[in-house]
Amino acid sequence: MAIKYLNNDHIKGFDKYKYNSLDTSPVAVYVMHPFWNAVVKLYPMWLAPNLLTFVGFLFQVYLFLLVAYYDWDFFSNNRTRTDYQPIPNWVWYVAAICQFLGHTLDGTDGKQARRTGSSTPLGELFDHGSDSILCALMPIGLFSIFGKGFEDFGGSSWIFFATQWHIIGTFFITHWEKYLTGVLFLPWSYDFSQVAIVIVYLLTGIFGFEVWKVVLPLGIQFNYFFLGLCCAGAVVFSLPYSIYNISRAYQNGTGKNRSFNEAVSPLIPMILLLLISIFWALFSPTDILEHHTRIFLLTFSAIFSNITVRLIISQMSDTLAYANNSLMMLFGVAAFVVCVLGLAEYEVRILHGVFVIIQLLHFHYLVTVVNQLCDHFNIYAFSITSRPRQKNHVK
């Protein structure tokens, strides 16, 4: 019997779902949306919105893999490390193009859906599910611009760790906010950061990575300023705004009016994931975060994506979110075995093994959910053409 992750309550909830969002960002309203409105007119009417989403996703993944190929350990742009070759400037031009195309396709997929009359709940889930993966990949690509090493205006694995958590945490809080309010309030920082990343990649390609190894006024190194700006976008701007929207929804009775336990249950797996990742990084027998930074960041980021997608499904189907997550538990068991039992000689193998298993399980989850919704709505994931209705269609 095939595994099905969506139950009847989920399916029935998707049937009633209506998209509700609010985007008041000046960058989005006055720059991006007018640009996207012009771009979407160039698309043929047969072009499926989900295909735009997926191609944009692939551009971003290619960007990540390209930079990772030249700078797996984040030392290529450290001038004091003569054992590493600098990342070629052309890589940053390609990165800028991929970032721009990925953002453009992501911004026009919904417009194409409305233009062709092919909007479905699957489209939104597909879009936001892809974003949950990309919001973890994008900062990792940026880390290579500065590289590791304080002696050369770089960062440290712990700075990368903190920045990663601020960014994925912001994404999660935005969807937790919708889970409670019923409205997706798009953060002002989103489109601004997307445009800023393109500019940073272009400037790096033109002037070389050395352009960022400078000291700003008041003696602030640019690497601290940039990474600090990423964190400030979450703590100073996004989080207070989300709390305000949630509080107002409860006061006005315009939200879901969930009980305290129902409201906080989605936070539990994310908090546990944060604590487990800190625990493993702190008590690692081989300093795994420092020596295998990229794999460590990717591992807990994949779990974050799984937790977030499950939350998105709950909010769209108006069902209660689960307080547990099997991938997070697997990560916790691995951390316990390594750090408490002291299996230093096996730690790297365990991390890589857990990484592969988690990626495969998360991929299986995503594909299965997409197939279930395609079956239910009698559609193809990457085509506007409807498919024949299934006999076992869930009522």
Side-chain angles (χ1 to χ4, degrees), residues 206-219:
I206 295 171
F207 301 105
F209 67 89
E210 294 88 351
V211 71
W212 308 116
K213 297 185 181 297
V214 296
V215 177
L216 300 174
L218 303 179

Side-chain angles (χ1 to χ4, degrees), residues 176-313:
W176 176 62
E177 177 185 2
K178 186 185 178 187
Y179 174 74
L180 299 178
T181 65
V183 180
L184 179 63
F185 296 92
L186 296 170
W188 279 27
S189 58
Y190 176 72
D191 286 303
F192 175 80
S193 64
Q194 298 295 303
V195 174
I197 291 173
V198 174
I199 295 173
V200 167
Y201 282 146
L202 280 176
L203 292 177
T204 307
I206 295 171
F207 301 105
F209 67 89
E210 294 88 351
V211 71
W212 308 116
K213 297 185 181 297
V214 296
V215 177
L216 300 174
L218 303 179
I220 301 174
Q221 292 186 8
F222 183 83
N223 57 324
Y224 293 140
F225 170 76
F226 184 84
L227 297 176
L229 192 64
C230 294
C231 298
V235 177
V236 178
F237 299 104
S238 296
L239 182 59
Y241 186 54
S242 294
I243 293 175
Y244 168 75
N245 288 330
I246 292 171
S247 300
R248 187 177 61 177
Y250 271 96
Q251 292 171 0
N252 299 338
T254 57
K256 298 296 183 178
N257 295 318
R258 302 189 188 278
S259 67
F260 177 79
N261 289 338
E262 292 171 349
V264 301
S265 61
L267 299 176
I268 294 176
M270 278 296 288
I271 293 173
L272 289 176
L273 178 62
L274 172 61
L275 294 177
I276 293 170
S277 60
I278 293 174
F279 171 79
W280 194 343
L282 279 175
F283 298 101
S284 166
T286 64
D287 199 2
I288 199 74
L289 175 61
E290 176 63 28
H291 299 296
H292 298 274
T293 309
R294 190 177 296 270
I295 289 294
F296 193 80
L297 297 181
L298 286 174
T299 302
F300 71 71
S301 293
I303 304 171
F304 145 77
S305 177
N306 189 265
I307 294 172
T308 305
V309 170
R310 291 174 184 271
L311 174 62
I312 294 171
I313 289 172

Side-chain angles (χ1 to χ4, degrees), residues 365-378:
Y365 177 81
L366 296 176
V367 172
T368 302
V369 167
V370 169
N371 285 334
Q372 276 192 262
L373 290 177
C374 284
D375 289 342
H376 177 70
F377 291 111
N378 301 300

Side-chain angles (χ1 to χ4, degrees), residues 3 13 78 84 167 171 175 240-241 294 311 316 367:
I3 296 176
N78 185 319
Y84 286 85
I167 293 173
F171 187 90
H175 287 280
Y241 186 54
R294 190 177 296 270
L311 174 62
M316 293 181 67
V367 172

